């Protein structure tokens, strides 16, 4: 049961981050489509920053799980957020 809740939290955190990335690319993309914005971000070196901005939705999901007292799901969201932070740190190094 605990592992299942952590996995659900990780899945929800990953989906929230993906939706956040999509929203961020749409808002900051000045009307361009998603793939054009991602390609431009990769070429100009700020893809990591876009991914980090997309992780803001994880904060909302995390607090929803905390408020509902679903601590293990909140833990899963936190794990995904830490993974994304490490990924963007490593991505920016290379």
């Amino acid at each position: 049961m605990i592992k299942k809740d952590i996995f659900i939290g990780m899945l929800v955190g990953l989906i929230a981050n993906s939706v956040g990335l999509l929203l961020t690319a749409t808002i900051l993309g000045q009307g361009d489509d998603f793939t054009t914005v991602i390609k431009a971000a990769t070429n100009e070196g700020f893809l990591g920053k876009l991914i980090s901005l997309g992780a803001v939705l994880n904060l909302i999901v995390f607090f929803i799980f905390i408020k509902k007292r679903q601590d293990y799901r909140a833990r899963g969201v936190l794990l995904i957020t830490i993974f994304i932070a490490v990924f963007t740190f490593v991505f920016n190094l290379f």
Side-chain angles (χ1 to χ4, degrees):
M1 181 80 176
I2 293 173
K3 289 182 183 179
K4 180 181 173 185
D5 283 339
I6 291 175
F7 179 74
I8 290 171
M10 291 175 72
L11 188 63
V12 169
L14 194 60
I15 291 170
N17 193 12
S18 300
V19 170
L21 176 62
L22 181 67
L23 286 173
T24 304
T26 303
I27 292 170
L28 298 178
Q30 300 172 351
D32 294 334
D33 62 282
F34 181 72
T35 55
T36 305
V37 172
I38 296 299
K39 286 178 185 176
T42 304
N43 291 337
E44 294 176 17
F46 65 89
L47 181 62
K49 292 176 178 76
L50 274 180
I51 294 171
S52 297
L53 281 173
V56 171
L57 284 183
N58 284 355
L59 182 68
I60 296 168
V61 172
F62 176 77
F63 282 116
I64 288 172
F65 283 148
I66 291 293
K67 185 172 176 106
K68 289 184 173 182
R69 297 185 187 260
Q70 295 175 342
D71 296 334
Y72 290 108
R73 290 184 182 189
R75 186 180 294 180
V77 172
L78 186 62
L79 286 172
I80 280 295
T81 305
I82 291 171
F83 173 75
I84 290 168
V86 170
F87 173 76
T88 43
F89 178 72
V90 171
F91 186 75
N92 285 332
L93 285 178
F94 300 107

